[in-house]
Amino acid sequence: MTSPSQYIKENETYLQKAVKVAWPAVVESFFVALVGLIDSFMVSRVGAYAVAAVGLTTQPKFIGLAVFIAINTSVSALVARRRGENRREDANRVLMTAVACVLVLTVVVSVLCVVLADPIIHLVGSAEDTHEYAVAYFRIIMGGIGFSVLSLVINAAQRGSGNTRIAMITNLASNVVNVIFNYLLIGGNFGFPALGVTGAAIATVIGTVVACGMSIASLFRKDSYVSIPYMRQQKLGLCKSSFASILHFAPNVFVEQIMMRIGFLLTATLAANLGTNAMAAHQLGMNVMSISFSFGDGLQVAAVTLIGQSLGAGEPQKAKHFGTLCQGIGLCFSLILALFYLTMGRWLYQLFFPADPEIVEIGVSIMFFMVPIVLCQVSQVIFTGSLRGAGDVRFTTIASTISVTLIRPSVSYLLAYPLGLGITGIWLGVLADQATRLTFAGLRFRSGKWLTKKI
């Protein structure tokens, strides 16, 4: 029987390992979300229409990126599992195969999005004062996605191998460059042209170029588990089995991403149809919500890595313990964030829209609902990530489709329009979605069925 002192010591070891993997991922996700908030702040100096225009492009952008997100999720889980199984060659083959897939798909997705930008932005509910700016922003962002998606797939492999610091460093550098060029190009400083929304898009692409270069450089480090010199030394090539592994894993995640983004898109369109002020307030609310998501996302990265490696090593109970531990850390973060949103919501909206009291009042009502949302959101993100990391992607696809694609837009529409609650109804729909996903993922995690999945 394990003594109390032995139990504490064992959990201290687990905690130290979880924190070691998690903190770079949390910092990375937080600063990505923070830069999104800073982007909105800088763009808000141009006007509420500019914030709304950028917001209109968010969901179409993520629909375009859905296939890449699916590949990245697969790569993280597969590399983590192969490392746990001590199969370094296979882990490197997974990355090589994924990069080849990404390069081909980038051309297709980028061309389609650039060519069809005008009808796509019309479809998501653009108004006369936002359409032109949203189209320009969308074309620039999607035209330059090659740098972003290549960096993301490399970082996904690094995370799976346990090296979460590389992704943190590349994203921090990218975000710093993004903010600098935002300052130079949005308002026109130090002799640069004042390009407004277009300048924000160009700044984002420049930041991804920096991140891409740093991610590629990380593959030449001697201590890197996924490594170009190692691939050369072992004369590794593309492998059908690696492609089959990705193909077995990725389609479920892709379908999940598409269905989720359709739900997000429908909800954003409902908000856009309430008017430019409502959409501007909604977009800032979504950016604030991404801050809370960043903590869950960082801990999700840790859970995927630690669970994948534990299952690969044949230690399912250790995998479940890591998932539970990440969940406990996430709950602490969510309580702190909920308190911040409850007390600082008005100040935040006044900071962004000092001359628009109507937007501020809309924002205050949004922040009221953000409190229960964040308590559900952080937990469900970690639970869902744990399931994905174990390969239980069919369940997460079904759960997300029911919650995000059906419940979220349905409740939002019913409450916002027929019942006349407006933007309040939209955010009640968001809360219904988060609570449903938490219920599904939490029950599945506790059942332990995900521990027996093979990938």
Side-chain angles (χ1 to χ4, degrees), residues 203-252:
T204 299
V205 173
I206 293 172
T208 64
V209 172
V210 173
C212 184
M214 294 179 67
S215 296
I216 293 171
S218 75
L219 296 177
F220 288 91
R221 293 171 58 99
K222 291 182 179 180
D223 60 345
S224 180
Y225 189 77
V226 282
S227 161
I228 289 176
Y230 176 81
M231 295 175 192
R232 289 175 176 170
Q233 179 186 351
Q234 300 298 318
K235 298 180 180 178
L236 301 182
L238 298 180
C239 176
K240 286 184 180 180
S241 62
S242 295
F243 181 74
S245 295
I246 293 172
L247 195 60
H248 174 75
F249 199 106
N252 281 295

Side-chain angles (χ1 to χ4, degrees), residues 64 121 420:
I121 298 302

Side-chain angles (χ1 to χ4, degrees), residues 368-432:
F368 176 80
F369 292 108
M370 197 75 74
V371 173
I373 286 172
V374 66
L375 295 175
C376 295
Q377 180 193 34
V378 174
S379 292
Q380 72 85 3
V381 167
I382 298 169
F383 276 137
T384 302
S386 299
L387 299 177
R388 288 198 195 107
D392 196 9
V393 289
R394 182 170 296 178
F395 176 84
T396 61
T397 299
I398 294 171
S400 295
T401 299
I402 293 171
S403 182
V404 185
T405 314
L406 300 178
I407 292 177
R408 182 174 183 148
S410 298
V411 174
S412 294
Y413 172 77
L414 178 64
L415 296 179
Y417 289 91
L419 295 182
L421 296 181
I423 199 70
T424 297
I426 301 290
W427 281 83
L428 282 170
V430 174
L431 176 57

